[in-house]
Amino acid sequence: MPPTEAGPSPGAPSPARLIVDLGAIVANYRALAARAAPAATAAVVKADAYGLGAARVAPALARAGCASFFVAQLGEGVALRRALGPAPAIYVLNGLGSGEDGVFQANGLAPVLNDLGEIAAWSACARASGQRLAAILHFDTGMSRLGLGPAEASRLEAEPERVADLALDYVMSHLVVSEDADQPINAAQLAEFRARRAAWPLVRASLVNSSGIFLGPEYRFDLVRAGAALYGVNPLARRPNPQVGVVRLEAKILQIRAVDPPRSVGYGATFRVTRPTRIATVALGYADGFLRSLSNRGHAYCGDIRVPIVGRVSMDLLTLDVTPAPAARPGDWVELIGPHLPVDEVADAAGTNAYEVLVRLGPRPERVYVGDRAAP
Ligand SMILES: *Cc1c(COP(=O)(O)O)cnc(C)c1O
């Protein structure tokens, strides 16, 4: 994917960097694929592989044997096809928008068809081109977001000729609370999906995301769709993370100053020092996608020493109380996400989920890729 204007400029060292371990992503893929087998494991790389860079992440997964990829938007699919070449299947979850069929076809992309109108449009396109075009049929079993609802699904069952011109790769649905095995909605959605699926006995099936892989073999069908767990996010509520960490967000200390009472730190004077305090100013802020809700709540590591974020996270800067880290110096890198600070812990402190913490990381922190065996 082309660098954006907001990204680092060549020759100007970036004061913040996101180190992405492609080897760890591949290890997570292999662990999920081993658990899911004999179901195949697809990689979900929407939103630029959850902010980590689909142009690097997806080819590494393809080399590890991943043959199917999911994106959300058509533009993501076009960019992914360029990165992956012709072989892997690429499915677009948001479906077929009006007038988009030419772009889908030209790039060998398959839509996830979410209603009867999309089915009719893709079928017309198939007839016009004289090819049985690939697609996935999406049934809504409880998310109430995308997919054919019960009435449309029943109508399609009664009129299966509506899909006679298509090559249906899968029927699919999507779980609402798969991270929590104790929730009865999981079994209810499974039962509804089985009932829907029974009308399409010759078509393969796909129900679960990362978390759903851990609900048991009856949930896995023929294909699982793994996103977050590839990127080190914990797929399990209230249980230890079976995945390995993938990212490390680091930023440089610009200055360290002594601040004495009664002074405060940052905009809004939200943190007042109560004792002589060493404040480190770090070159990372919400313009980098580091969440402002971590003001006075998040942490950082100076080496092995945990220090609190004090005061507001501002656009380009945040401030740490480094009194407990007397060796910290300007020019040092501090860790904001990484081995000491898993992305799930950062998300808890920010009052959001790990997905949002990752996808918010904007283009400004330099992406540094490590662990790619095929790289020069
Ligand atoms: C995003 C998404 C996934 C991947 O979910 P994770 O929780 O990140 O594994 C799978 N299926 C659908 C339909 C999605 O939208």
Side-chain angles (χ1 to χ4, degrees):
M1 263 147 255
T4 63
E5 299 270 330
S9 297
S14 176
R17 60 192 184 194
L18 184 70
I19 301 168
V20 178
D21 186 341
L22 295 170
I25 295 176
V26 165
N28 283 334
Y29 177 79
R30 294 208 164 109
L32 293 168
R35 182 179 291 272
T41 299
V44 181
V45 295
K46 60 195 180 190
D48 202 20
Y50 294 43
L52 306 191
R56 294 299 302 270
V57 168
L61 290 169
R63 286 193 293 275
C66 182
S68 303
F69 293 83
F70 285 82
V71 294
Q73 301 186 349
L74 177 56
E76 296 171 352
V78 171
L80 186 63
R81 178 59 76 204
R82 250 182 258 131
L84 285 178
I90 300 176
Y91 301 104
V92 179
L93 289 163
N94 283 6
L96 179 69
S98 73
E100 291 178 353
D101 48 272
V103 183
F104 268 91
Q105 271 201 278
N107 291 278
L109 306 174
V112 173
L113 299 171
N114 289 313
D115 65 29
L116 293 175
E118 292 183 17
I119 291 170
W122 196 230
S123 296
C125 193
R127 282 190 296 278
S129 65
Q131 288 169 38
R132 277 163 46 90
L133 296 176
I136 291 179
L137 280 184
H138 183 185
F139 297 114
D140 175 25
T141 57
M143 187 72 90
S144 309
R145 224 170 45 162
L146 290 175
L148 287 84
E152 280 203 314
S154 300
R155 191 150 162 218
L156 186 62
E157 283 166 21
E159 301 165 4
E161 63 279 5
R162 286 171 179 270
V163 293
D165 298 310
L166 301 179
L168 292 181
D169 285 353
Y170 296 95
V171 292
M172 69 165 258
S173 192
H174 193 33
L175 297 178
V176 175
V177 285
S178 55
E179 68 283 0
D180 189 345
D182 298 338
Q183 296 274 350
I185 304 182
N186 291 313
Q189 284 194 271
L190 175 62
E192 188 168 333
F193 184 60
R194 280 201 172 123
R196 284 287 161 226
R197 211 222 145 176
W200 307 95
L202 301 181
V203 183
R204 292 174 295 174
S206 174
L207 178 59
V208 295
N209 65 335
S210 299
S211 302
I213 296 169
F214 295 82
L215 288 174
E218 68 276 26
Y219 283 84
R220 295 179 200 137
F221 294 91
D222 302 297
L223 181 78
V224 302
R225 307 182 304 269
L230 294 175
Y231 312 117
V233 174
N234 188 355
L236 306 173
R238 303 181 302 276
R239 280 157 64 194
N241 191 351
Q243 306 303 110
V244 299
V246 163
V247 299
R248 186 179 171 106
L249 178 66
E250 298 181 337
K252 265 191 182 168
I253 297 176
L254 299 177
Q255 283 196 341
I256 295 184
R257 71 192 53 248
V259 180
D260 293 323
R263 292 236 204 197
S264 61
V265 179
Y267 286 118
T270 62
F271 181 82
R272 287 178 187 282
V273 303
T274 55
R275 53 173 165 74
T277 301
R278 281 180 90 225
I279 296 292
T281 303
V282 173
L284 188 77
Y286 58 74
D288 299 283
F290 193 77
L291 296 173
R292 189 169 174 273
S293 55
L294 290 163
S295 302
N296 291 309
R297 305 199 47 170
H299 287 83
Y301 273 80
C302 299
D304 289 329
I305 302 171
R306 184 179 176 90
V307 296
I309 295 174
V310 294
R312 291 240 174 99
V313 173
S314 58
M315 186 182 289
D316 311 298
L317 302 169
L318 59 79
T319 34
L320 304 172
D321 177 353
V322 295
T323 315
R329 292 286 176 273
D332 288 355
W333 293 96
V334 299
E335 173 188 329
L336 283 307
I337 302 173
H340 298 91
L341 281 163
V343 62
D344 289 283
E345 181 187 330
V346 176
D348 275 350
T352 183
N353 62 10
Y355 299 67
E356 189 183 11
V357 172
L358 289 181
V359 300
R360 288 285 181 128
L361 294 172
R364 213 163 69 167
E366 181 184 2
R367 294 327 192 245
V368 177
Y369 293 93
V370 300
D372 186 5
R373 280 201 217 105

